[in-house]
Amino acid sequence: MAKKAAAATVKKPLTKTQLLANIAESTGVAKKDVSAVMDALSAEIGKALGRSGAGAIAIPGIVKIEKKKVPARPAKKGVPNPFKPGELMDVPAKPASTKVKVRPLKNLKEMV
């Protein structure tokens, strides 16, 4: 019975509307203004991670977001298959890509 009670109390993550409402309520700022700040933050992250940006941005005390370039990998033939020992397989080439890495900062780690 304890498992059913625990499963029933699973909370869902906040929606954007709920998050904006909670921030507006706790700060006393209008919901429209909070939405404008969130949009501006999103635009700044886009600029920082874009082609002409620095490639990284930190939201103080919460997260650091970095752009990382991953080089291309050539195709390989006759590589041992890790799932079927003794069998060989071909690995296709992978083009170069850019990945986004999000690292939690100290304050966020302490919150959890």
Side-chain angles (χ1 to χ4, degrees):
M1 291 285 181
K3 286 186 178 181
K4 285 186 179 181
T9 61
V10 173
K11 294 183 179 181
K12 294 182 180 178
L14 291 176
T15 64
K16 181 179 177 182
T17 306
Q18 291 170 332
L19 178 64
L20 293 176
N22 290 350
I23 293 172
E25 183 181 317
S26 66
T27 60
V29 177
K31 199 171 169 183
K32 184 171 78 173
D33 295 335
V34 174
S35 179
V37 169
M38 295 298 270
D39 291 340
L41 177 63
S42 178
E44 286 300 317
I45 291 170
K47 279 191 238 174
L49 299 180
R51 288 189 182 271
S52 62
I57 189 169
I59 300 173
I62 301 174
V63 294
K64 184 173 186 178
I65 305 169
E66 298 173 311
K67 177 172 73 170
K68 186 175 182 182
K69 292 182 181 177
V70 179
R73 286 198 235 155
K76 296 178 185 176
K77 292 190 181 273
V79 177
N81 189 338
F83 302 108
K84 296 180 182 177
E87 187 177 302
L88 299 177
M89 64 182 217
D90 295 339
V91 178
K94 284 190 178 181
S97 63
T98 304
K99 299 199 180 208
V100 176
K101 184 176 181 181
V102 180
R103 291 189 1 227
L105 297 177
K106 186 178 179 183
N107 288 351
L108 181 61
K109 290 178 187 177
E110 290 174 356
M111 287 181 211
V112 178

